[in-house]
Amino acid sequence: MGKLETGQGRTGIEHVFALVLGGLLALGIELVILLLGSVAASAGIFKLNAAPQLTVAACLVGCVAGGIFACARWRSKRLPAGVLTGLICFVLILITALFGGKNLKFGAQAFAELAACVIGGGLAGLLSGRRKRTPKKKR
């Protein structure tokens, strides 16, 4: 995606592509955080009881990062872009859980992860608001 010429806007496909890439980035960051958490649990730094909280925190952090990536490619409507990135990330989590082969149950943990993904994406949309331009100084 190079520089746009004057009067040329981004297409809808580029926006969808940015959302999918943001969701994949969020999922990747979540997996890295969970990997580091499992190493910390093996070393005795974390208790094994902290796995649900670590999963929710990984969803939140990953969706903030992925949402900021996606919102950087949107000129307006960044809050919905961030929330959609969080929803895409949650759908990707569900798809990986389906391929895991176990019975998929929606319990309190699934709703906590959904909330963390949506809130993380929403925070990204709020944090990546419009940047205020400073007026040029007259000479």
Side-chain angles (χ1 to χ4, degrees):
M1 287 194 250
K3 277 191 159 184
L4 296 176
E5 295 177 11
T6 309
Q8 181 184 6
R10 296 195 187 271
T11 63
I13 294 174
E14 290 174 343
H15 285 195
V16 171
F17 190 64
L19 289 175
V20 171
L21 281 179
L24 287 172
L25 176 67
L27 184 65
I29 290 174
E30 290 174 22
L31 292 175
V32 168
I33 292 172
L34 291 174
L35 178 68
L36 293 174
S38 66
V39 169
S42 296
I45 298 171
F46 284 151
K47 293 183 180 179
L48 293 177
N49 301 358
Q53 291 87 355
L54 179 66
T55 306
V56 171
C59 287
L60 185 72
V61 172
C63 285
V64 167
I68 287 175
F69 175 82
C71 289
R73 278 128 183 92
W74 285 56
R75 288 190 179 167
S76 63
K77 299 181 182 178
R78 291 183 176 160
L79 181 62
V83 171
L84 284 173
T85 303
L87 288 174
I88 288 172
C89 180
F90 184 72
V91 167
L92 291 172
I93 291 171
L94 287 179
I95 290 171
T96 56
L98 285 173
F99 285 135
K102 294 185 179 180
N103 292 336
L104 187 63
K105 297 178 184 176
F106 272 95
Q109 182 66 28
F111 288 116
E113 290 176 18
L114 172 64
C117 287
V118 171
I119 290 171
L123 282 174
L126 290 175
L127 292 175
S128 66
R130 292 185 182 191
R131 282 137 183 99
K132 295 182 181 178
R133 294 184 181 177
T134 57
K136 293 182 180 179
K137 295 182 182 178
K138 295 181 181 179
R139 294 183 188 190

